[in-house]
Amino acid sequence: MSSDSQLDGLKFEQRHGKSRVRLGRVWRSKQGVHFMVEWNVSISLFSDCINSYVRDDNSDIVATDSMKNTVYAKAKECSEQVSAEDFAILLAKHFTSFYKQVTAAFVNIVEKPWERVSVDGQPHQHGFKLGSEKHTTEVVVKKSGSLQLRSSIQGLTVLKTTKSGFEGFVRDRYTALPDTRERILATEVTATWRYSYESISSVPQKSLYFAERYADVKQVLVNTFFGPPTGGVYSASVQSTLFQMAKAVLNRFPDISSVELKLPNLHFLPVNILSKENSIVKFEDDVYLPTDEPHGTIEASLSRFWSKM
């Protein structure tokens, strides 16, 4: 993907951009309801500007300060609310079409989780609070209009106090962990999915399509992790739950071609305190020591056969 050339028999690759461009954007409806986003934007351009490296000629360089200013100018031009994905595509399309020397553009956006508050049971017109998990997107657009689009959820922390076990695993002389069919299951989900759209022209034109898709994917992941509100669903392992979550996303959303999940096992260790005389605290699935150091790491990806994850 990077711009490369042959220099004195050596292969030279380069790209440049602007990172951590902080952006807040507010939209106001005619009814007085405000909508807002806070984005952290990073841009990297693949361009033919080799002369700046080898001949002290900067005439082909797109200044990173110009990239920063473009973020704010394009945000101003968006008179209607847009998703992070649509804004990333808009930026990447601009850089590849406006500058003849730019062959491809990479744009990453991390959205801070501001959520509308409710007061006396009513959604506030202009009041927001900071949530937890973050919405991110990564876009690569080439001059030809070809597109790679990924989105992700980061920091989605979930826990269930029962309906989880782990047994029948490999045992050797280093194994101390007992089998169990009753434990707390807690994890901080990182989910990344790739959309099947391969060109800018194929992207849905529906307003806030990707924002809605993000919310729907998150709901499917949560619902699959917990199961029905009454009774839940049993998890034989984090691996089993991960697979069911990934499979549910692909089954539900045909325009998602692959999904990668990372589920660290945030442990709640049973507490037993014993004295010489008798037990001071006897564990009965009720008292735990929460710890995430060290913790298990479980990650996998699930793709349709034609996917390019």
Side-chain angles (χ1 to χ4, degrees), residues 12-271:
F12 179 60
E13 298 180 331
Q14 55 81 25
R15 59 177 176 168
H16 74 289
K18 198 75 163 181
S19 295
R20 300 185 64 81
V21 181
R22 301 285 296 272
L23 166 67
R25 179 64 161 98
V26 175
W27 293 273
R28 296 168 171 81
S29 73
K30 294 179 180 178
Q31 293 74 33
V33 179
H34 293 193
F35 302 89
M36 69 87 61
V37 293
E38 182 182 344
W39 290 331
N40 194 318
V41 182
S42 295
I43 301 157
S44 189
L45 300 185
F46 305 86
S47 62
D48 298 326
C49 59
I50 193 170
N51 286 340
S52 64
Y53 292 89
V54 300
R55 296 186 178 90
D56 297 335
D57 179 357
N58 298 332
S59 59
D60 289 327
I61 288 184
V62 179
T64 65
D65 187 68
S66 299
M67 299 180 204
K68 176 201 69 178
N69 293 339
T70 300
V71 171
Y72 298 119
K74 291 300 178 183
K76 177 70 173 179
E77 291 176 10
C78 293
S79 57
E80 301 292 332
Q81 188 181 4
V82 295
S83 66
E85 287 84 354
D86 283 326
F87 190 66
I89 292 171
L90 183 153
L91 283 176
K93 181 181 178 182
H94 166 80
F95 289 121
T96 54
S97 61
F98 190 76
Y99 300 103
K100 68 179 187 306
Q101 67 272 39
V102 174
T103 57
F106 170 86
V107 178
N108 173 276
I109 296 179
V110 179
E111 181 170 326
K112 209 164 185 178
W114 289 107
E115 302 170 352
R116 189 178 303 279
V117 300
S118 292
V119 177
D120 296 331
Q122 295 293 322
H124 201 281
Q125 285 188 325
H126 54 263
F128 299 84
K129 65 180 179 68
L130 193 61
S132 54
E133 65 274 1
K134 293 180 179 179
H135 173 191
T136 73
T137 189
E138 292 183 355
V139 167
V140 179
V141 172
K142 294 183 179 179
K143 213 171 196 64
S144 62
S146 70
L147 170 70
Q148 296 177 26
L149 174 60
R150 290 184 176 88
S151 295
S152 69
I153 295 171
Q154 298 179 3
L156 175 60
T157 305
V158 289
L159 177 153
K160 59 182 185 179
T161 55
T162 189
K163 292 285 185 175
S164 172
F166 189 52
E167 54 188 342
F169 48 88
V170 172
R171 292 200 165 276
D172 54 40
R173 61 177 177 166
Y174 301 114
T175 304
L177 186 69
D179 284 0
T180 183
R181 290 188 60 84
E182 179 63 40
R183 67 173 183 170
I184 286 178
L185 177 58
T187 187
E188 184 178 290
V189 179
T190 298
T192 304
W193 57 95
R194 176 166 178 164
Y195 288 100
S196 58
Y197 309 110
E198 295 186 347
S199 66
I200 294 176
S201 60
S202 66
V203 171
Q205 298 303 304
K206 179 183 177 183
S207 176
L208 297 177
Y209 175 87
F210 291 109
E212 293 175 6
R213 177 64 83 240
Y214 169 83
D216 291 342
V217 169
K218 181 170 70 171
Q219 196 61 59
V220 166
L221 291 170
V222 169
N223 291 353
T224 307
F225 178 86
F226 290 111
T230 302
V233 62
Y234 181 73
S235 169
S237 65
V238 179
Q239 286 85 346
S240 174
T241 296
L242 182 154
F243 178 76
Q244 294 303 322
M245 292 167 71
K247 185 179 178 182
V249 170
L250 291 188
N251 285 344
R252 174 74 180 276
F253 307 110
D255 63 345
I256 292 178
S257 60
S258 57
V259 59
E260 179 183 4
L261 289 174
K262 298 179 181 179
L263 272 63
N265 198 348
L266 307 182
H267 300 293
F268 282 73
L269 305 179
V271 170

